[in-house]
Amino acid sequence: MDQPSPPTEARIARFIRTHLQDILRNWDDFARSIPAARYLPASTLRDHAAGMLHAIADALDLPSAAPDAAPPPAPVSQPDTQAGRHGAARVGIGFSASDTIAEFRALRASVMHLWAACEHQHDLGSEDMIRFNDAVDQALEESLQAFFSEKDKLAHRFDTLLSATPDLHCITDVDGLLLYANQALGKLLGTPATPAARQHLADFCPAFAAQLGRDLRAVADTGATGRGELQCTLADGTEHSYRYILIPVVNEDGTIDSITGTARNISELKASEAQILRNAYYDSLTGLPNRVLFRERLEHDVRRAARTEFALAVLFIDLDGFKEVNDRFGHDAGDLLLRQVAQRLQACVRATDTVARIGGDEFTVILNEVSRIAFVEVLVCQILAELARPFALADKELHVSGSVGITICPQDAHLPDDLLRNADQAMFVAKNAGRNRFSYFTPDIRDSAWARLRSIDQLRQALARRELRVYYQPIVELASGTIVKAEALVRWHHPDGGLVLPQDFIGIAEETGLIGEIDAWVLAQAVPCAARLSELTGAPFQISVNKSPVGFMSRVIRHCWDEDMAMFERAGSRIAVEITEGVLLDDSPGVRDKLARLQRAGVQLTIDDFGIGYSSMAYLNKFKVDFLKIDQSFVKDMLTTNPRSQIFAETIIMMAHKLGLKVIAEGVETASQRDWLRQAGCDYAQGFLFSPATTEERFAQLLQA
């Protein structure tokens, strides 16, 4: 008996399974016309297509419904079906809904084309065709439902992501109409941004509406990315800066129908940049332009002066007595004083002029468009008068003054560096002339400054070239007339051949920081000399060395104090240290520590030039001092032109003895001076009467004589 033929749908399902590879090859040609599928690997495309064909074949194997049965319910989204998984996966690889529909159309066409070629003797009936198309349509519907469900999930995820950031994100049409805005932008706009709301991106910041409109139009017309910045006032009244980027959304046909925008609040960055810029160009204490900005403005003003043919004046102002304010009242008071000085200087000049603080207590002023030099002098006199007025700081009234150097462009120089140097040199002339005054720059000032710089350079090389020598001047005990001590004095054998005395180069050494090296070198010569002279005399012989106040008080002195202390400890009482009264007046922890270390090492202390400075009983009582030196100015004319000097000398001797100190008189040149001092009770004396400072060899001969 013949078996009944299989139903048509089973026959199509069997055909699909039997000719699967042929269908896929034929389908591949169709699939490559889908834009999203062009660049996918063939294996990926075929795996998806094979899965869909099996799903369609499985649907065809199901029994058909009775003709009068109710139509099946509409399929629901079933992401776990083969079709659902297919649709959801298509979202992840960039397929659009149209691409997904085209893919199923290609599958349908491939099956029908191959059926017609292989099974043309068995044409499909209308019911068969309906069954096949229903199976394809059902798979397509499941796939599309899963596709759109995944699309919604993905859109929700992206919206959540974009709304979680404080950055502003939006999508607009080419005219700036908002199609999407994340929560951050919607909050600033006040209402959720939807196409129905008809809001424009420019509504976010009306003040920059024209700029945003131009940028959006440029992106739409050129397809290039647009960038910009804007500042706007938000509803709470705060000012904010935003940096934004606009990117075109390009369709498959190359057209642009929308634009994505992202904006970031850069207010803190702008504030930080402004602060960095201010720190780079302005003095943090006074708010005045600093050296960098002063230099830039001076260059600009010099060029402008050349164009306008007006003169330009540069003032260099240094405060007189500022160090004393810091020493007496502390650095906080000094800072307050500098702020008030800055305010007074600014009040003296025009808005077009520049007042700058270039360091410490040094200020500079640029006076533009100077038509008459006399006006400069009037202004400088006003500045000096303002600085001379008392400064009120808390409950203190402080007094300072100013020394001002003036140089004129183009008469004196054309270059900014030369102008600043000229004004600086003129200021030193004013300060050396007595302070609280001004000085114009002159060629003589320049020549003198160059000579000073040359001396500094030569002094820097003096130690290395062994041009310095230590000479020793005897100190005589007046009661016995014998040499009992000596003072070590440095001399400079200048390369030009002359002998330079300390008063001509020690000041330069202190200003340049070389004094530490010089003092240390003198000590290194004096210590072994004291040992040799002690051996020569058969008793401890003491040599006094001078220690500059800078070595005690400066924190930036080049030479290390510890190296000096090692020599002091070896020498002990054979070395005495001569210091000025200013060292004791400083009374800082560093100075007290150094004095204490000297005393622990057995070194005796001598106050040099006593009576001409800040003589005070207080520090003599506070610090352990061994000797006082009567300054030679009292000795010089005590018996001739100024008998009152005798009173000062007698007072110093009497006070010292009451305190248990010994007294040394310096500058003794006549026998009558010696005799008077001896009668007054002075203990020791030194001066040309006994011997000028001399070499160690000559000094040894004096001792033996």
Side-chain angles (χ1 to χ4, degrees):
M1 179 181 293
D2 294 335
Q3 295 292 329
S5 61
T8 306
E9 59 270 23
R11 190 172 36 154
I12 298 177
R14 187 183 307 112
F15 176 81
I16 291 174
R17 295 186 181 101
T18 302
H19 297 84
L20 181 64
Q21 295 304 317
D22 294 329
I23 295 172
L24 289 175
R25 279 192 295 272
N26 191 39
W27 172 84
D28 188 62
D29 295 334
F30 287 96
R32 288 301 175 184
S33 65
I34 301 172
R38 289 173 186 166
Y39 305 106
L40 291 177
S43 59
T44 301
L45 283 171
R46 290 194 175 199
D47 287 346
H48 275 282
M52 289 310 307
L53 287 170
H54 282 298
I56 292 171
D58 291 343
L60 290 171
D61 283 340
L62 296 175
S64 59
D68 56 350
V76 296
S77 175
Q78 297 180 6
D80 289 335
T81 66
Q82 180 67 36
R85 290 192 295 273
H86 174 83
R90 272 356 198 188
V91 175
I93 59 176
F95 272 55
S96 65
S98 298
D99 294 335
T100 303
I101 294 172
E103 192 176 22
F104 276 91
R105 286 175 179 169
L107 283 174
R108 189 199 311 266
S110 298
V111 172
M112 298 306 298
H113 178 77
L114 194 60
W115 176 275
C118 298
E119 302 289 339
H120 57 275
Q121 70 276 24
H122 300 291
D123 293 334
L124 291 173
S126 60
E127 185 179 345
D128 301 325
M129 181 65 69
I130 292 172
R131 291 264 305 167
F132 175 66
N133 287 333
D134 285 345
V136 174
D137 290 343
Q138 181 177 346
L140 173 60
E141 187 168 356
E142 290 179 6
S143 181
L144 285 176
Q145 286 193 5
F147 177 91
F148 286 116
S149 176
E150 185 66 21
K151 271 280 198 182
D152 290 341
K153 290 178 182 178
L154 189 62
H156 179 69
R157 293 189 193 109
F158 274 103
D159 184 54
T160 302
L161 172 65
L162 295 178
S163 294
T165 174
D167 292 344
L168 312 181
H169 298 279
C170 67
I171 302 173
T172 75
D173 65 11
V174 293
D175 296 320
L177 184 67
L178 280 168
L179 306 176
Y180 165 83
N182 71 338
Q183 288 183 10
L185 179 56
K187 183 178 180 181
L188 294 179
L189 288 169
T191 56
T194 62
R198 303 297 295 176
Q199 288 179 300
H200 283 76
L201 182 59
D203 296 339
F204 164 61
C205 190
F208 282 79
Q211 174 181 315
L212 285 171
R214 288 193 301 270
D215 289 350
L216 287 166
R217 178 49 53 191
V219 171
D221 291 344
T222 65
T225 298
R227 302 175 188 273
E229 291 184 9
L230 54 83
Q231 296 81 39
C232 60
T233 302
L234 301 185
D236 59 2
T238 57
E239 296 282 344
H240 290 270
S241 297
Y242 287 88
R243 181 173 294 159
Y244 60 84
I245 179 171
L246 303 172
I247 302 175
V249 179
V250 183
N251 297 323
E252 297 173 3
D253 58 0
T255 60
I256 297 171
D257 62 7
S258 59
I259 297 170
T260 65
T262 298
R264 173 162 294 178
N265 192 325
I266 58 169
S267 301
E268 291 185 5
L269 176 62
K270 285 288 187 181
S272 177
E273 289 176 349
Q275 186 60 44
I276 292 173
L277 186 65
R278 183 160 189 83
N279 292 341
Y281 286 98
Y282 289 88
D283 174 49
S284 59
L285 177 63
T286 63
L288 295 177
N290 62 11
R291 181 183 292 272
V292 175
L293 183 55
F294 168 78
R295 174 59 187 267
E296 291 186 4
R297 290 191 179 178
L298 182 57
E299 291 177 351
H300 173 269
D301 292 343
V302 166
R303 291 194 296 269
R304 185 175 63 180
R307 292 194 305 269
T308 61
E309 298 184 356
F310 276 106
L312 175 148
V314 177
L315 313 182
F316 198 108
I317 305 167
D318 186 85
L319 298 183
D320 305 323
F322 178 72
K323 182 181 182 301
E324 287 75 7
V325 172
N326 270 341
D327 292 343
R328 291 181 59 193
F329 302 106
H331 290 280
D332 288 343
D335 290 346
L336 290 174
L337 174 62
L338 290 174
R339 292 193 189 101
Q340 292 193 21
V341 167
Q343 293 169 0
R344 293 190 187 184
L345 292 178
Q346 284 183 301
C348 291
V349 303
R350 301 163 298 179
T352 56
D353 300 325
T354 295
V355 178
R357 178 182 176 227
I358 62 173
D361 59 341
E362 296 176 337
F363 296 83
T364 51
V365 178
I366 305 172
L367 302 177
N368 289 294
E369 298 183 0
V370 176
S371 57
R372 294 180 59 185
I373 303 302
F375 294 158
V376 176
E377 192 165 320
V378 170
L379 175 63
V380 171
C381 289
Q382 181 184 351
I383 288 175
L384 291 175
E386 285 294 313
L387 295 179
R389 287 195 300 110
F391 289 87
L393 303 177
D395 57 344
K396 307 177 184 70
E397 189 175 87
L398 306 181
H399 293 267
V400 297
S401 59
S403 298
V404 184
I406 308 170
T407 189
I408 306 297
C409 172
Q411 288 92 319
D412 298 334
H414 296 82
L415 300 178
D417 285 344
D418 293 340
L419 289 168
L420 185 59
R421 188 183 305 112
N422 291 350
D424 188 15
Q425 293 169 0
M427 181 274 297
F428 271 108
V429 171
K431 188 173 288 288
N432 293 333
R435 305 184 175 189
N436 192 27
R437 64 194 63 207
F438 64 87
S439 172
Y440 284 100
F441 171 80
T442 65
D444 289 342
I445 291 176
R446 180 186 57 228
D447 297 341
S448 176
W450 279 114
R452 183 174 179 275
L453 290 175
R454 188 164 54 252
S455 296
I456 291 173
D457 183 60
Q458 291 172 340
L459 184 57
R460 290 184 190 279
Q461 303 176 50
L463 275 174
R465 294 177 177 177
R466 300 185 178 182
E467 296 170 358
L468 299 183
R469 300 284 189 276
V470 176
Y471 282 29
Y472 300 91
Q473 186 172 36
I475 297 177
V476 175
E477 185 181 51
L478 289 175
S480 63
T482 58
I483 299 173
V484 294
K485 292 158 57 72
E487 180 180 1
L489 299 169
V490 65
R491 300 289 187 265
W492 179 14
H493 285 267
H494 197 274
D496 293 340
L499 187 65
V500 183
L501 299 178
Q503 58 264 32
D504 295 325
F505 66 88
I506 290 299
I508 294 176
E510 289 179 332
E511 291 177 19
T512 57
L514 293 171
I515 191 64
E517 297 178 41
I518 294 175
D519 280 356
W521 179 81
V522 171
L523 178 62
Q525 310 306 308
V527 168
C529 178
R532 289 190 291 268
L533 294 177
S534 297
E535 184 178 351
L536 178 67
T537 60
F541 191 88
Q542 187 180 78
I543 295 179
S544 296
V545 296
N546 291 277
K547 264 293 181 182
S548 167
V550 177
F552 276 90
M553 296 182 284
S554 175
R555 297 180 181 179
V556 295
I557 196 69
R558 296 181 187 177
H559 190 76
C560 178
W561 184 265
D562 292 335
E563 297 176 11
D564 289 351
M565 282 306 307
M567 286 189 283
F568 283 129
E569 290 168 356
R570 289 199 304 269
S573 61
R574 292 197 299 269
I575 291 293
V577 172
E578 295 194 9
I579 57 177
T580 63
E581 296 167 282
V583 173
L584 301 183
L585 283 173
D586 182 87
D587 195 22
S588 65
V591 170
R592 290 198 301 269
D593 177 67
K594 290 172 182 176
L595 290 173
R597 292 179 66 182
L598 286 173
Q599 291 170 344
R600 287 196 298 268
V603 176
Q604 292 185 311
L605 293 179
T606 300
I607 305 300
D608 196 12
D609 301 330
F610 187 81
I612 63 171
Y614 303 95
S615 302
S616 171
M617 292 285 288
Y619 69 70
L620 291 178
N621 183 54
K622 184 174 183 179
F623 296 97
K624 184 180 181 302
V625 177
D626 301 284
F627 302 95
L628 292 184
K629 263 194 172 182
I630 300 176
D631 186 69
Q632 60 183 340
S633 62
F634 297 117
V635 175
K636 180 179 180 181
D637 54 5
M638 64 170 49
L639 301 178
T640 55
T641 59
N642 188 9
R644 295 185 63 186
S645 294
Q646 293 181 6
I647 300 175
F648 286 113
E650 286 176 330
T651 303
I652 292 172
I653 294 169
M654 185 182 304
M655 177 189 67
H657 287 169
K658 289 287 186 181
L659 294 173
L661 310 180
K662 299 291 186 179
V663 181
I664 304 170
E666 58 183 353
V668 178
E669 298 180 352
T670 66
S672 56
Q673 291 171 341
R674 175 200 61 193
D675 296 341
W676 186 92
L677 288 166
R678 182 166 51 198
Q679 184 178 357
C682 185
D683 302 288
Y684 306 99
Q686 69 182 99
F688 284 0
L689 174 65
F690 310 106
S691 171
T694 186
T695 63
E696 179 183 345
E697 293 78 8
R698 174 59 183 154
F699 189 88
Q701 293 173 5
L702 291 174
L703 278 180
Q704 290 176 323

